[in-house]
Amino acid sequence: MRISRSLPPLYIGLIFTLLYLPITLLVINSFNISKYGYVWQGFTWKWYDKLWHNTALKDAFLHSLSIAFTAATLATLLGLLMALALYRYRFPFKRTASALLFILMLSPDIVLAITFLIVFMALGLQLGFWSLLISHITFCLPFVVITVYAQLKGLDRNLLEAAQDLGAGERSLVRLIILPVLRPALGASWLLSFTLSLDDVIISSFVTGPGYEILPIRVFSMVKVGVSPEVNVIATLLLAISLVSAMLIALLLHRKKDEKT
Amino acid sequence: MSVIQLSKVSKRFGGQEVLSALSLSVRQGEFFTILGPSGCGKTTVLRLIAGFEQPDEGHIKLEQTEISKTRAEFRPVNTVFQSYALFPHMNVFENVAFGLKMAKVPKAEIRGRVEEALAMVQLKDFSDRRPDQLSGGQKQRVAIARAVVNKPKVLLLDECLSALDYKLRRQMQIELKQLQRQLGITFIYVTHDQEEALSMSDRVLVMHKGSVQQIGTPREIYEAPSNLFVAQFIGEINVFEGLVEAELPDYSYRVRLAHGGVREVRSDFRFAQGEAVHILLRPEDLRIHYPRTGESPPGFQGKVIERNYTGKTLDSLIQLESGQQLRASEFFDENDPDFDYRINESVWVDWVHGWEHVIPQRPTEHA
């Protein structure tokens, strides 16, 4: 009896240890004086300081942030329009359109990467900021559409008609009903896109050029010669960003329930 | 004076005809109900009037002005939706104020009118609540307040009580009716609940498969249905088949019944000799006799195969020798409050002369 009751926590504990042990080690190592990180030799901010003075890395980080920010914003806007179209209007090939989005979401990154490359080559577009931006928007888009569409589906079917019935024109409809009601989904989509864009390696490595290096690729080339403490620091920072985004997403999507109190 | 007029309106969805050349006219200030089974097109009629759909053919007039091309937001009509459709991100006050805000009514006036509307539906102290903090009945009231606060020419209500439980529904029916009298606004109410339609309406339109079956007062619909569909949809009814043998004076006919026997009946319809007719009788209009042995009273012989005590009435199911089953409903008599049937008891079924309603078997045009 006692064994069976203590088994589930043990089992779950083991799984989570396995999942989070590497991450914890990484975070700890970013504060470790030891350069190789096999033994703990004391606490330090030195690696953070070193990263701060590494302009190449800092540039890459800023590039990543600007791509992620722009891609997330544009993908959210486009995705909103697409979700609204799927929800509100009857048009030919509507089902095909939503199926195609799913396919895009499920297709392997490597396939997408190659297809992007082919398209950019055919168009004669120089690889760099624009090629990165276009491809990031593309792979973020399905996630936005699906998140926003899911919330639209959960709404009262007659909500928009009720607003029209009460005299709201298209503009008021968007400003006073659609945007406020969809705010959680839009926020969550933006954060999701931001994180997706920030840590993409595969597609980015195909579609960026030497003139515009972004963080994940920079890190990737750094670890080829061994994991340096700076990489630990970058990873820790990225982890923090992802964590904050995840918390914000959860907060946004669940705020509605909290409002009851 | 008619406030809403539909003439020969047709609507198709994806090639399927939902409304076929439907015409109707709703009078100023009346409680008009559109009644029909689900899928008969009644909600489509409402959506056409509200402006959420455009007719493929025909005209819609509001007080003599053609509105079939006018967008929903410019029509002086408001809708109470079946799902209430309250704005989830606004509180009760903001919900009710929305229409007035859209109409650019001055702020000070909005406050007064919203408070008045909320008081009318007994939700004065709920202004700050959000829709997800309200019960079904309260949401319903907010939806009504949100619509009537705009003083629409016509209020459209789409099966808006069907989500409530029985008791609350009865109460809301009475409140709606009172509200309508108090405001003097024309109500167009859509429902599939015939009891609701009969008890609330000034006039009822019975719809089936996209066309009008009958328009009339609840009494006319119940007592003089214009065809078999209306008769069977509204309440319970017993149908006897017969053939007209001869025309008699004073709108009377001699009819030979399929069960045997000849009856004299009255009808508002004109029949030719030899024409097939339906004789309709409500369960409460049947008379049941239980003869002593050897006696043979008028009517048809049958036996009781089911009896149900409902409190007010004793309802029985009687099977005739032909196999046809009849429903009878009898009120308890002061002299015999313990009156009951035995299953398989042999009885004779008849009706009071003149209480029958006779309609032709051929398809009829609605009045």
Side-chain angles (χ1 to χ4, degrees), chain B residues 148-161:
Chain B
V148 297
V149 76
N150 306 293
K151 306 202 170 112
K153 294 234 164 76
V154 179
L155 185 68
L156 308 169
L157 303 107
D158 185 10
E159 306 222 20
C160 62
L161 302 184

Side-chain angles (χ1 to χ4, degrees), chain A residues 188-209:
Chain A
S189 311
W190 191 90
L191 287 167
L192 188 64
S193 304
F194 186 80
T195 344
L196 280 174
S197 164
L198 203 59
D199 72 7
D200 174 71
V201 180
I202 301 173
I203 295 174
S204 304
S205 67
F206 275 71
V207 297
T208 191

Side-chain angles (χ1 to χ4, degrees), chain A residues 70-92:
Chain A
T70 324
T73 309
L74 291 176
T76 306
L77 276 175
L78 288 172
L80 166 69
L81 295 178
M82 197 148 177
L84 281 174
L86 288 175
Y87 176 73
R88 259 196 101 184
Y89 301 105
R90 273 171 273 188
F91 55 88

Side-chain angles (χ1 to χ4, degrees), chain B residues 47-87:
Chain B
R47 293 176 58 82
L48 283 166
I49 299 173
F52 304 136
E53 310 280 355
Q54 269 65 49
D56 293 326
E57 283 150 42
H59 301 282
I60 302 172
K61 280 183 180 167
L62 178 84
E63 291 181 335
Q64 319 308 322
T65 319
E66 173 76 36
I67 56 162
S68 50
K69 298 278 184 290
T70 311
R71 295 172 61 94
E73 59 261 40
F74 301 120
R75 296 191 190 188
V77 299
N78 286 117
T79 309
V80 178
F81 292 91
Q82 183 172 14
S83 57
Y84 317 135
L86 300 180
F87 306 128

Side-chain angles (χ1 to χ4, degrees), chain A residues 159-170:
Chain A
L159 210 58
L160 301 183
E161 285 178 349
Q164 270 181 301
D165 187 61
L166 293 164
E170 288 289 321

Side-chain angles (χ1 to χ4, degrees), chain B residues 208-269:
Chain B
H208 182 49
K209 289 185 178 160
S211 56
V212 175
Q213 302 295 310
Q214 189 171 3
I215 300 180
T217 63
R219 189 178 285 269
E220 284 164 359
I221 299 274
Y222 187 79
E223 290 182 1
S226 64
N227 62 35
L228 203 58
F229 174 81
V230 177
Q232 286 173 332
F233 188 68
I234 313 285
E236 293 196 77
I237 200 136
N238 297 302
V239 182
F240 295 97
E241 288 180 8
L243 285 173
V244 175
E245 274 197 345
E247 191 173 345
L248 306 172
D250 197 24
Y251 303 111
S252 290
Y253 298 90
R254 193 163 68 232
V255 174
R256 174 164 297 279
L257 295 168
H259 294 302
V262 174
R263 285 304 184 95
E264 269 181 34
V265 299
R266 284 178 57 104
S267 178
D268 297 331
F269 289 92

